[in-house]
Amino acid sequence: MQFSSHPELTTPDQSGQTRRLPAEQELLPNRILLITIHNPLYPITVDVLHQVFSPHGFVEKIVTFTKSAGLQALLQYASQSSAVQARSTLQGRNIYDGCCTLDIQYSNLQELQVNYNNERTRDFTNAALPSEQSRPGNPGNNIMSSLFGEGGHVYSMGAGGPRPGGFQQSGGHPALGMNSYGQVAMGGASAAAAAFGGVLPPGITGTNDRSTLLVSNLVPEKIDADRLFNLFSNYGNIVRIKILHNKPDHALIQMGDGFQAELAFNYLKGVTLFGKRMDVNFSKHAQINPSPDTSDFSSSPLNRFNRNAAKNYRYCCAPTKMIHVSSLPADIALEDITSHLSAHGTVANAKVFESNGKKQALMLFESEEQATEALVCKHASQLQSNTIRLAFSKLASV
């Protein structure tokens, strides 16, 4: 919490900008562009937008803000022709592979008003403007800078994170002048940290580079590679799992990268599974080599972070009493779901609902241990004709 520099609150359109043109001129070419960024999996700052739009002309001012349409920005060129060229060239393209799609319209503003030069607003014609984040008495209020270094965004972290420099047609054509970064899950800690809004969860450093975990104090009679996959895949993609023959209560689990391994270590260390407290540590082995006694999950369609990785990171949490069930049959009854899961504990409360036209459920167990056992045993199981998916939910009540 901090004091604002604004003396009062106002509610004008387009992020507080004034001096609007008549409504009938709203769609006419203008040197000011209204930019909406769809599917912003990575942070979009003034510096990113300047790098994207400056090849088409001198950019005078940029203001970024969030409204009901999502992440938006107003960008002012020195000339109208530059704005026309930028819109013609960049409309519908992606700043990064598969995300951050640009939707560009002409604004009806005559002039942008910029009071501060920081990561959200910038006047490139007036470098003397102060920064909100550097006011005396507020040395630590720029969380992004404290996490990601000077510049205040994930791109300053170096080779681990993506950098803008080319664009991809939203239709999926090859990117122009940029590398393919693949999924966020495999893009390193810096890319994954962006999914948490720049603020890493408590206990997570984002700097771990060890991707293999050693899990011990398991119950050999009740555990196998598939059940370990069901639990640990909540925190990242699983590459391989190996249960040690000479120590059957020990297993090695190789995660997709060091960030995912750190998430699993942080959230699962000390969790009770089948009546025993599971111990999780980083292994001295950098990876698990393929062998007949190793289970390979690298191409498994059940890995949760191949799609919607940023959203899945935000859902990461320690085991809870609440289980979210998805991929359910359209005509499933609550009693059928309860019967399918109740062998692992008492379901205290439950409900079935629809989201985006798909049947889902919330199941509240009496304890975290019961919910964990249900997830371990019933994730990816068959219910009627569907392979259902289970995940921990942060919700406290149904």
Side-chain angles (χ1 to χ4, degrees):
M1 187 182 299
Q2 64 194 49
F3 292 107
S4 170
S5 61
H6 298 283
E8 63 177 344
L9 295 181
T10 57
T11 57
D13 289 337
Q14 291 196 342
S15 185
Q17 304 299 328
T18 57
R19 289 173 287 179
R20 301 173 64 87
L21 289 172
E24 62 269 17
Q25 299 182 29
E26 192 161 300
L27 298 180
L28 295 179
N30 185 13
R31 69 187 183 122
I32 299 178
L33 299 174
L34 173 61
I35 305 160
T36 303
I37 297 95
H38 298 290
N39 194 23
L41 297 186
Y42 303 105
I44 302 299
T45 63
V46 163
D47 293 325
V48 173
L49 291 172
H50 185 265
Q51 185 174 346
V52 170
F53 283 85
S54 60
H56 304 284
F58 180 70
V59 176
E60 292 184 337
K61 302 174 183 179
I62 301 177
V63 175
T64 63
F65 52 96
T66 302
K67 300 199 77 174
S68 58
L71 178 61
Q72 293 184 293
L74 288 163
L75 184 144
Q76 178 176 312
Y77 277 106
S79 68
Q80 178 180 301
S81 60
S82 296
V84 172
Q85 179 185 346
R87 184 175 185 272
S88 175
T89 304
L90 301 178
Q91 170 63 14
R93 295 205 171 194
N94 297 337
I95 298 179
Y96 301 101
D97 246 350
C99 65
C100 304
T101 305
L102 296 172
D103 183 3
I104 307 170
Q105 306 296 329
Y106 295 115
S107 171
N108 59 355
L109 301 177
Q110 292 178 297
E111 182 76 23
L112 291 185
Q113 180 181 349
V114 176
N115 297 320
Y116 300 98
N117 284 337
N118 52 44
E119 66 184 20
R120 299 184 304 277
T121 65
R122 187 79 51 84
D123 186 341
F124 295 94
T125 66
N126 185 2
L129 287 178
S131 167
E132 272 186 301
Q133 281 73 28
S134 60
R135 292 198 308 275
N138 290 298
N141 63 0
N142 188 347
I143 298 175
M144 293 292 282
S145 290
S146 66
L147 282 169
F148 301 123
E150 193 64 33
H153 49 78
V154 70
Y155 311 107
S156 62
M157 290 190 72
R163 299 178 180 274
F167 307 92
Q168 182 188 22
Q169 295 283 2
S170 57
H173 299 293
L176 304 175
M178 72 184 295
N179 294 324
S180 175
Y181 298 103
Q183 289 79 22
V184 176
M186 299 300 181
S190 58
F196 290 100
V199 183
L200 292 169
I204 302 297
T205 66
T207 59
N208 174 63
D209 59 358
R210 294 170 292 176
S211 61
T212 304
L213 298 170
L214 175 63
V215 185
S216 59
N217 206 32
L218 299 170
V219 180
E221 299 79 15
K222 296 186 177 181
I223 206 71
D224 57 25
D226 289 328
R227 289 184 169 182
L228 288 173
F229 172 89
N230 291 347
L231 179 59
F232 280 79
S233 63
N234 282 271
Y235 307 100
N237 286 340
I238 306 299
V239 180
R240 297 185 185 93
I241 295 178
K242 180 176 183 178
I243 296 177
L244 306 185
H245 289 300
N246 57 337
K247 295 181 178 180
D249 63 338
H250 285 58
L252 291 172
I253 301 176
Q254 183 181 342
M255 307 288 293
D257 58 32
F259 186 85
Q260 297 175 358
E262 188 176 19
L263 287 173
F265 168 81
N266 184 70
Y267 288 128
L268 293 179
K269 189 177 180 67
V271 165
T272 301
L273 180 60
F274 298 117
K276 298 183 69 175
R277 286 176 59 85
M278 183 172 61
D279 198 11
V280 182
N281 290 289
F282 292 103
S283 171
K284 64 180 180 180
H285 300 285
Q287 64 181 24
I288 302 174
N289 294 323
S291 66
D293 57 352
T294 296
S295 299
D296 194 316
F297 295 94
S298 57
S299 59
S300 172
L302 294 174
N303 268 317
R304 304 170 191 253
F305 290 75
N306 287 329
R307 298 178 59 188
N308 299 322
K311 181 178 72 172
N312 287 331
Y313 278 125
R314 290 194 294 271
Y315 291 156
C316 285
C317 63
T320 64
K321 299 178 184 179
M322 187 76 75
I323 294 293
H324 175 256
V325 188
S326 59
S327 299
L328 288 166
D331 57 348
I332 193 74
L334 180 59
E335 293 76 14
D336 295 329
I337 307 171
T338 303
S339 176
H340 189 66
L341 301 179
S342 59
H344 307 287
T346 301
V347 177
N349 203 353
K351 76 171 181 180
V352 174
F353 61 98
E354 284 194 12
S355 178
N356 297 323
K358 297 180 180 179
K359 190 67 69 73
Q360 303 180 41
L362 287 172
M363 314 296 291
L364 180 64
F365 285 84
E366 288 189 341
S367 69
E368 288 87 353
E369 182 179 356
Q370 293 178 0
T372 302
E373 182 178 325
L375 182 145
V376 165
C377 295
K378 291 300 169 64
H379 174 66
S381 63
Q382 292 292 312
L383 182 55
Q384 296 181 9
S385 59
N386 286 32
T387 300
I388 62 172
R389 293 186 174 231
L390 277 64
F392 296 113
S393 172
K394 297 180 180 180
L395 295 176
S397 60
V398 173

